[in-house]
Amino acid sequence: MHQDRAQSSKPPQTRADVTRLLNSSFELLARVYTVMENYEEALKVYLEALDLTPESPELLASIGSLYIRMGDNDSAFQFLGRALSFDSKNTKAILAMCSIIQDKGDHDAALLKYRIAAVHVPNSAQLWNNIGMCFFGKQKFVAVLVCLT
């Protein structure tokens, strides 16, 4: 009788719960590979996790960021764009995408995107450093000092 009650009180495992646990495991494993600078293995793990949740903005942003580390900005831009199509306020994706735009020398476009991120993470050192570098590229040195202080 006690065993029956124990079984009935056990919360049911839903597909969403299992998927969330698997994604957490995949994400952790991919981060380990990334720290070890084994980017190819990390990418394989991230792409496997993407099969489970193809509309995860966080996962798409992580893949995009990994492609940046691997030097493949075109693939990174594609994944970051997909992440932003699912969550237009995803600051990780915005910052990564803006860094690609900034590297291409389009400082005005990067600054427009950074404005979106500034609303959500106004105290981000990375954000203000990147904004400062945009102003540096435009040779607006006073604005650079304001951003970096």
Side-chain angles (χ1 to χ4, degrees):
M1 175 130 181
H2 293 290
Q3 195 174 21
D4 291 336
R5 265 195 249 154
Q7 289 294 332
S8 66
S9 66
K10 185 176 169 184
Q13 290 290 326
T14 64
R15 180 166 166 67
D17 291 336
V18 172
T19 302
R20 186 173 45 252
L21 287 172
L22 283 173
N23 271 348
S24 297
S25 299
F26 282 130
E27 187 92 25
L28 185 59
L29 181 59
R31 286 183 188 162
V32 168
Y33 281 130
T34 302
V35 167
M36 294 170 44
E37 296 183 2
N38 190 345
Y39 301 133
E40 294 297 328
E41 286 300 315
L43 183 61
K44 286 179 187 176
V45 172
Y46 275 133
L47 292 175
E48 194 172 333
L50 192 61
D51 287 340
L52 292 173
T53 53
E55 297 179 358
S56 169
E58 286 300 319
L59 189 54
L60 290 163
S62 294
I63 293 170
S65 297
L66 184 60
Y67 271 119
I68 290 173
R69 283 187 171 196
M70 295 171 70
D72 186 355
N73 286 349
D74 293 333
S75 296
F77 202 81
Q78 177 187 2
F79 278 95
L80 295 168
R82 283 178 56 195
L84 290 172
S85 71
F86 293 117
D87 179 10
S88 62
K89 299 174 184 174
N90 185 306
T91 54
K92 181 178 181 179
I94 291 170
L95 290 173
M97 183 171 276
C98 287
S99 73
I100 294 171
I101 295 169
Q102 194 172 336
D103 285 346
K104 292 182 179 183
D106 194 353
H107 303 294
D108 291 325
L111 284 169
L112 285 173
K113 295 282 187 194
Y114 283 136
R115 286 180 58 192
I116 298 167
V119 170
H120 301 289
V121 286
N123 296 323
S124 168
Q126 179 185 8
L127 171 69
W128 289 105
N129 180 56
N130 289 358
I131 291 172
M133 292 310 295
C134 278
F135 284 125
F136 183 80
K138 295 175 66 153
Q139 297 185 353
K140 295 188 176 190
F141 302 116
V142 173
V144 172
L145 292 174
V146 170
C147 290
L148 299 178
T149 57

